Amino acid sequence: MSKRVKSGIYGLDELIGGGFRKNTVNIVHGGIGVGKTTFCFQYALFGLNRGEKVVFISFEMTKEQIIRDCNELGLSEIEEHIESGNLKIIHIYGEDLAFPTISLVDILKENKTDTDHIRFIIDPLTHYSMFLDDEKRKSLSTIFQSLRDFGTSVITLEKSHPNDAINNGSLMPLYLGDTVIHLDNLGFGELFNRTLRVAKHRGSKHGEGLYPYNIESGLGIVILASEHDINKVTTTKEFDEQFIAAIKQVSNIDIVGEKLAKRIEHLRNDWNHSESPEYILDLVTKNEK
Amino acid sequence: MIRSKLELTLDDLYETEGVDACILYRIDGIPITVRTPRDSAIIEVMFWLEKQIKHVLRNMDKEGLKAATFDFKNYQILLTPSSRSTVLVTLINPHAHKQLISIEIARAKSKIHKCVS
């Protein structure tokens, strides 16, 4: 199992197998006022408070605005981390990206420190869709690869209307990202007013429900998943005997036996259904013979 | 916890005799919590529901309706708005005791309203 980087969002890691996978790019997608920047603050502070380095590239807020907003949320330790040099905030005006001299990859390279892992944050990447032409947008794959090389990133992206001119460009990061988390705010003021959904989490199991969340002072985003929700993504050892029997059975199948046994072992370690795997194991055994 | 109460409410309704499935939807058609058997016919109904919920709710609101019923081949589908942002959908067996189920739905609706509002 790949190493995990804790998100710092209360209640999220339980739903995504323990956190973001290390060296991945994770997209937080949502409309105005859903808490995307708060998500970034929590992700940054979780690492900073444990001695990690964070680079925060902001296309909207200046360093002063970030400090003020964090203080208002009760996340005032941010100033200490800026002073210690562990948090680097880079503010770029979105429209400046239109100048050919500004390259996000160069900015990333310049700010890579000696540590082997950095938490990178880009809030929001939407300006890339708004200010860059198609050719430049293609450089997104290069940017994403650089981000993966340097550490684990959280990138926010504004949700656009299907008919918006910026829509085509804004969808590209959703395809390229390793994780996509949708945040919604309906505006009804009920439990499911603000909701989170994990649309994709490459190489890992994740909760598939609609989870309500609140933004609480001093904490930030708190996801209100029920025991039922968490059980759905928690692995169970209840059917181990059936898996062990199936592994023994498939091990004897000619040349594929060993490979298949490894796969079933993987399935056993990840099994999170309350139902018996009998049907699936029978199907696999019959098909692979 | 509120979320657990909501799950229990759906569990109770699902256990009522004659209820084949019950799903709590957000009004934009996204399922919040689902209790269904593994049955392809029900999955087809769910696809249909996700497409229809917004339109049905809009019409119910326009006409001042408290609930709406759809009759399918094997199911009767009851749509009951449970709060400003949620709607409870119950799939019942056509031979079920409808009066008893309607009491259970009313009870569930009231509990959901308390949980989410």
Side-chain angles (χ1 to χ4, degrees):
Chain A
M1 195 176 145
S2 56
K3 285 189 179 167
R4 300 289 170 154
V5 175
K6 289 194 179 280
S7 67
I9 309 299
Y10 299 101
L12 178 61
D13 294 344
E14 290 86 338
L15 302 171
I16 56 171
F20 295 127
R21 289 162 67 223
K22 202 174 173 192
N23 295 96
T24 53
V25 177
N26 307 284
I27 312 286
V28 180
H29 182 238
I32 297 159
V34 294
K36 297 189 294 297
T37 304
T38 306
F39 192 113
C40 295
F41 294 157
Q42 283 176 262
Y43 177 66
L45 287 168
F46 190 90
L48 288 165
N49 290 341
R50 284 155 186 82
E52 292 181 41
K53 304 259 185 201
V54 176
V55 175
F56 194 126
I57 299 174
S58 169
F59 285 112
E60 272 180 5
M61 296 200 289
T62 61
K63 186 161 91 179
E64 291 69 29
Q65 283 175 305
I66 289 173
I67 294 170
R68 189 192 61 196
D69 283 12
C70 276
N71 282 334
E72 281 172 9
L73 262 169
L75 310 172
S76 53
E77 69 262 36
I78 198 153
E79 284 183 88
E80 287 168 35
H81 296 302
I82 295 171
E83 277 166 29
S84 72
N86 283 342
L87 170 62
K88 200 162 188 182
I89 297 175
I90 301 160
H91 174 235
I92 307 166
Y93 288 102
E95 53 268 37
D96 287 346
L97 284 170
F99 292 101
T101 47
I102 293 182
S103 151
L104 206 48
V105 177
D106 289 343
I107 295 168
L108 294 173
K109 281 181 183 162
E110 280 163 24
N111 288 285
K112 189 187 178 316
T113 58
D114 294 336
T115 45
D116 62 346
H117 184 265
I118 301 175
R119 285 180 183 236
F120 269 105
I121 293 162
I122 301 178
D123 179 42
L125 193 70
T126 317
H127 293 84
Y128 240 79
S129 323
M130 287 170 72
F131 291 103
L132 296 188
D133 55 36
D134 284 348
E135 274 309 303
K136 271 204 156 184
R137 274 192 210 133
K138 285 178 190 163
S139 66
L140 269 178
S141 340
T142 316
I143 294 166
F144 275 36
Q145 201 43 53
S146 301
L147 286 167
R148 287 188 190 103
D149 292 341
F150 298 155
T152 308
S153 308
V154 164
I155 291 178
T156 67
L157 196 67
E158 201 73 44
K159 188 179 179 182
S160 61
H161 189 272
N163 298 327
D164 281 355
I166 62 164
N167 189 51
N168 283 342
S170 70
L171 288 178
M172 205 200 260
L174 302 180
Y175 300 128
L176 295 174
D178 297 292
T179 306
V180 175
I181 292 173
H182 291 295
L183 300 181
D184 253 329
N185 183 359
L186 276 189
F188 282 95
E190 294 190 337
L191 180 66
F192 289 90
N193 185 32
R194 287 180 186 274
T195 51
L196 177 146
R197 253 191 322 151
V198 184
K200 119 174 169 188
H201 190 39
R202 272 184 191 150
S204 175
K205 286 206 166 189
H206 61 83
E208 290 172 353
L210 185 72
Y211 308 106
Y213 68 90
N214 290 336
I215 299 179
E216 305 288 0
S217 295
L219 300 176
I221 295 173
V222 180
I223 299 169
L224 307 169
S226 66
E227 204 179 328
H228 182 266
D229 292 327
I230 294 166
N231 284 344
K232 274 185 171 176
V233 283
T234 307
T235 54
T236 173
K237 298 284 167 210
E238 198 186 332
F239 306 104
D240 264 11
E241 280 178 19
Q242 287 178 50
F243 281 112
I244 292 165
I247 290 167
K248 267 189 193 165
Q249 200 185 339
V250 298
S251 298
N252 302 323
I253 304 176
D254 299 335
I255 49 169
V256 291
E258 200 183 325
K259 293 181 183 87
L260 205 53
K262 273 189 188 169
R263 286 206 210 166
I264 295 177
E265 181 62 35
H266 199 83
L267 180 70
R268 173 192 171 191
N269 293 334
D270 263 0
W271 190 259
N272 57 359
H273 307 290
S274 54
E275 297 141 33
S276 155
E278 194 182 346
Y279 172 75
I280 292 177
L281 292 173
D282 279 351
L283 194 68
V284 172
T285 317
K286 273 181 204 157
N287 272 267
E288 295 279 357
K289 258 183 189 167
Chain B
M1 195 188 163
I2 296 170
R3 278 303 309 273
S4 302
K5 279 184 193 166
L6 203 60
E7 302 289 354
L8 280 175
T9 305
L10 267 278
D11 282 339
D12 289 345
L13 182 60
Y14 188 42
E15 276 169 21
T16 309
E17 206 180 324
V19 171
D20 287 331
C22 51
I23 308 156
L24 184 66
Y25 282 98
R26 201 163 68 168
I27 51 162
D28 53 358
I30 297 174
I32 292 171
T33 186
V34 178
R35 298 291 182 279
T36 60
R38 289 209 170 190
D39 180 344
S40 57
I42 288 185
I43 291 169
E44 275 176 37
V45 172
M46 283 182 70
F47 280 130
W48 178 83
L49 277 165
E50 278 181 39
K51 282 186 209 153
Q52 302 303 323
I53 274 183
K54 268 191 203 175
H55 309 291
V56 174
L57 288 177
R58 196 179 302 136
N59 281 322
M60 284 171 71
D61 186 48
K62 209 164 102 183
E63 304 294 336
L65 303 175
K66 283 185 180 170
T69 308
F70 293 88
D71 282 304
F72 276 64
K73 224 179 349 182
N74 299 323
Y75 303 110
Q76 191 172 59
I77 302 174
L78 300 171
L79 268 85
T80 319
S82 40
S83 76
R84 271 163 42 188
S85 64
T86 60
V87 56
L88 175 65
V89 175
T90 317
L91 273 70
I92 64 170
N93 185 311
H95 310 295
H97 192 312
K98 293 196 178 69
Q99 264 182 319
L100 174 74
I101 290 175
S102 67
I103 294 167
E104 291 303 324
I105 291 173
R107 201 196 310 268
K109 176 189 160 178
S110 159
K111 283 183 186 172
I112 293 166
H113 189 268
K114 275 183 196 157
C115 285
V116 302
S117 302

